[in-house]
């Protein structure tokens, strides 16, 4: 009955992908991580009905093609994706980004720390919280159209 | 003069004397008896009234052929009462010209009995004309002065020109006045302001290159037209002929490079315009030209301010974009540097050896420091970009709160922080917080090598100006390097002595500068430092 919990990481920077995956591994979070390297790929993966929805999306903001905020907007405009928890994980601490992130329906906003120790801790806490502590929304029944 | 029957030689002499006076007087002298019969008419009277004594003697005043003394009966009555008579008269000569006369009358008595009157006429036509001319000139000068005054404050070209034509028409007492603007190329001129003309013509009516207006622009001085129908120098435009205009005057209105156009006054009756009329019209044209130049300069200035503002806005937007990209893009490689260095130590530590691990840690420390620099630079940039939000700020409270925070983070130090109470300044809360945060944190940092320290925040009056200061008794600095203090990234101590990015005081200067204030410091090595700053109260 219990569905396999998985993380979607939307991140164009391969360094950050590697470091994030390593941090999750170090925190003993061994769930599947689906990586999308830009906004368009992220939407394709999310909209593919044959794929199970991620338990949480870790979303970078500055992405090629479709930006993180645009991905977030589209998710919130799509019935099936409306309630999927989204954590904005970005280098930016700009007020504008934070405002719009929450306005568009982000569930959390985390600035990537530069310090590796802090980064490890942040990723580990995020994994723990969203995979173990947080109760995900119930699955949505979508009319096939 | 009538001869009386008994006349002595002395009387005869007296009479001859009087007749000589009468004959040679430049003033017209007329005598009448009580009935108004003319009894005397001297040569000056013949000259003035154009009537000979032979014609006039024996005729009745005022029913005679010429009404030269219309109020004779009334005046004689006044003389009988012992009152004086002085009148101003207008007399129409036979040739149609009128003359202005002053009349003074006196009684003639014979043995105490009133027998007649003597009337003395002075021709004051020229004097009156001169007075009238002076009055006209005064009125014109007054009108020109009034117009000049208004021209200084007008901000609208149409309004200015409208006022010019109105004042010209009203002062010169003509039915029409107009301003024509010279159009570029050979397009002729366009009516841009008019008095007496139909409103729909203004802004639309045009006259050609061969018109009176065009001729005025090309002629050096003012143009005078006595009779438009007889004009041969130019082709009267329909604009004038359709309004039955007969005579007029026009002058050019100067522009910056080429003439702006023409100012004209037009009358539907034959009119001889005076030199004063021309001077007046020229004055109005000159004032109009000056006002137009001012308006043009104002418009140019405004355009430049707008352009400069747009440039500044663009620069600010660029700065914003730059700051954004700094905050985002520069961090990512740092995270990689730090992350992979750590991964290297953690995953391959044994193979790196002690020295290799040390190097990896130095890479991490450098990345960390660059991260701090980026953060501080962003703070500095934010202090520049932030909109000023001026309120009354209790800066004593602000300083106290920052002091408590410093103590909380570093509770083991023996520092006395003394803050003057009740200091209030007008300014932006966040910017002032940045000023005090940086200065107090610096004071805290640069006293850290002393076992006990004293930090003071207060104010003083220097040359009548209120100056705030943050003073410490820490390590101070060499005043030779004081000019470097407020420049970004300039530091007077090594990282090992006192860590820092060199952005703090640059931020202070920027935040104080945005309030219109100044900041400076004085210090001596090992004798502490004092940082002064002003926050001018805004008067507007």
């Amino acid at each position: 009955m219990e569905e396999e919990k998985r993380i979607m990481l939307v991140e164009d920077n391969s360094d950050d992908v590697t470091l994030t995956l390593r941090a999750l591994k170090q925190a003993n979070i061994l769930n599947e991580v689906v990586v999308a390297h830009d906004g368009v790929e992220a939407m394709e993966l999310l909209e593919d009905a044959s794929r199970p929805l991620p338990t949480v999306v870790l979303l970078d903001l500055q992405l090629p093609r479709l930006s993180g905020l645009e991905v977030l907007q589209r998710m919130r405009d799509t019935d099936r994706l409306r309630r999927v928890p989204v954590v904005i994980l970005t280098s930016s601490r700009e007020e504008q980004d934070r405002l719009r992130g929450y306005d568009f329906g982000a569930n959390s906003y985390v600035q990537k720390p530069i310090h590796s120790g802090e980064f490890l801790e942040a990723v580990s806490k995020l994994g723990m919280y969203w995979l173990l502590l947080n109760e995900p929304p119930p699955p949505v029944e979508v009319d096939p159209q | 003069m009538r001869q009386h029957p008994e006349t002595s030689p002395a009387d005869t002499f007296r009479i001859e004397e009087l007749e000589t006076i009468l004959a040679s007087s430049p003033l017209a002298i007329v005598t009448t008896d009580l009935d108004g019969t003319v009894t005397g008419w001297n040569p000056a009277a013949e000259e003035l009234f154009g009537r000979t004594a032979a014609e006039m003697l024996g005729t009745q005043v005022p029913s005679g052929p010429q009404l030269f003394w219309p109020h004779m009966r009334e005046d004689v009555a006044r003389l009988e009462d012992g009152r004086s008579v002085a009148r101003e008269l207008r007399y129409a000569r036979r040739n149609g010209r009128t003359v202005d006369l002053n009349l003074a009358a006196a009684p003639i008595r014979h043995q105490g009995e009133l027998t007649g009157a003597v009337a003395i006429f002075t021709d004051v036509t020229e004097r009156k004309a001169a007075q009238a001319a002076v009055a006209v000139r005064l009125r014109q000068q007054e009108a020109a002065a009034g117009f000049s005054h208004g021209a200084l404050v007008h901000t609208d070209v149409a309004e200015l020109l409208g006022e010019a034509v109105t004042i010209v028409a009203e002062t010169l007492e003509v039915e029409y006045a107009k301003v024509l603007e010279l159009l570029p190329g050979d397009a002729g001129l366009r009516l841009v302001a008019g008095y007496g003309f139909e409103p729909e013509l203004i802004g639309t009516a045009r006259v050609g290159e061969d018109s009176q207006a065009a001729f005025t622009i090309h002629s050096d001085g003012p143009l005078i037209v006595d009779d438009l129908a007889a004009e041969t120098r130019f082709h009267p435009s329909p604009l004038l002929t359709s309004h039955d205009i007969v005579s007029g005057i026009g002058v050019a209105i100067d522009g910056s490079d080429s003439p702006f156009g023409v100012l004209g006054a037009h009358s539907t009756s034959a009119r001889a315009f005076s030199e004063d009329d021309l001077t007046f019209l020229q004055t109005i044209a000159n004032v109009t030209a000056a006002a137009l130049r001012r308006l043009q300069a104002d418009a140019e200035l405004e355009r430049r301010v707008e352009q400069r503002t747009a440039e500044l806005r663009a620069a600010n937007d660029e700065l914003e974009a730059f700051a954004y990209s700094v905050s985002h893009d520069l961090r990512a490689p740092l995270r990689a540097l730090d992350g992979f260095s750590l991964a290297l130590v953690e995953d391959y530590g044994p193979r790196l050896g002690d020295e290799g691990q040390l190097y990896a840690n130095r890479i991490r420390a450098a990345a960390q420091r660059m991260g701090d620099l980026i953060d501080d630079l962003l703070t500095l940039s934010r202090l520049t970009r932030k909109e000023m939000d001026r309120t009354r700020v209790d800066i004593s409270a602000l300083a106290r709160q920052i002091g408590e925070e410093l103590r909380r983070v570093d509770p083991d130090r023996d520092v006395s922080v003394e803050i003057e109470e009740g200091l209030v300044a007008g300014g932006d809360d966040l910017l002032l917080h940045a000023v005090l945060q940086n200065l107090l944190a610096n004071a805290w940092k640069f006293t850290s090598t002393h076992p006990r320290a004293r930090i003071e925040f207060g104010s003083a009056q220097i040359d009548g100006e209120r100056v705030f200061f943050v003073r410490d008794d820490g390590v101070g600095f060499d005043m030779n390097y004081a000019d470097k203090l407020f420049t970004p990234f300039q530091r007077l101590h090594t990282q090992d002595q006192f860590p820092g990015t060199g952005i703090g005081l640059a931020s202070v200067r920027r935040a104080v500068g945005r309030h219109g204030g100044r900041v400076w410091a004085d210090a001596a090595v090992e004798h502490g430092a004092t940082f002064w700053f002003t926050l001018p109260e805004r008067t507007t």
Side-chain angles (χ1 to χ4, degrees), chain A residues 13-16 18-19 22 26 60-62 90-94 97 111-117 119-120, chain B residues 323-324 327-329 331-336 338-340 342-343 346-347 364 367-368 371 375 378 382 385:
Chain A
N13 183 321
S14 62
D15 286 342
D16 276 355
T18 308
L19 288 172
R22 180 172 178 275
Q26 285 215 326
D60 190 16
L61 285 186
Q62 275 210 331
T90 175
S91 310
S92 165
R93 221 177 59 199
E94 285 294 302
D97 285 341
Q111 195 200 10
K112 293 177 197 166
I114 287 178
H115 195 278
S116 304
F119 184 75
L120 280 174
Chain B
Y324 185 92
S327 83
H328 189 276
D329 297 350
R331 266 180 226 276
L334 289 179
R335 212 165 33 247
D338 194 55
F340 286 112
L342 181 65
E346 283 178 357
D347 298 353
R364 293 190 61 201
Q368 192 57 48
D375 280 345
L378 278 178
R382 222 168 271 136
R385 289 179 290 148

Side-chain angles (χ1 to χ4, degrees), chain B residues 104-153:
Chain B
I108 299 173
R109 292 177 200 280
H110 184 65
Q111 294 172 341
E113 280 292 302
L114 187 72
T115 58
V118 55
I120 303 172
F121 298 88
T122 324
D123 184 349
V124 293
T125 311
E126 276 180 28
R127 200 202 307 162
K128 286 217 89 158
Q131 276 173 353
V134 167
V136 166
R137 192 180 305 163
L138 270 180
R139 205 156 46 89
Q140 291 180 348
Q141 282 172 355
E142 220 166 275
F147 176 67
S148 307
H149 188 75
L152 285 177
V153 295

Side-chain angles (χ1 to χ4, degrees), chain B residues 219-299:
Chain B
S219 56
D220 251 351
L223 181 75
I224 304 168
V225 175
D226 293 328
D227 182 2
L228 200 62
E231 199 50 65
T232 53
R233 294 171 292 181
F234 51 83
H235 288 96
S237 67
L239 184 63
L240 297 183
T241 52
S242 65
H243 289 89
D244 300 326
I245 281 164
V246 175
S247 49
I249 46 177
V251 294
I253 301 172
D254 281 343
S256 30
D257 302 320
S258 53
F260 170 80
V262 171
L263 174 64
H266 306 276
S267 167
T268 54
S269 53
R271 156 118 180 229
F273 289 96
S274 69
E275 198 60 39
D276 283 341
D277 293 342
L278 283 174
T279 307
F280 168 71
L281 194 68
Q282 188 67 65
T283 305
I284 299 297
N286 293 349
V287 170
T288 303
L292 285 172
R293 272 196 297 275
R294 180 180 61 81
L295 285 176
Q296 249 166 21
D298 284 357

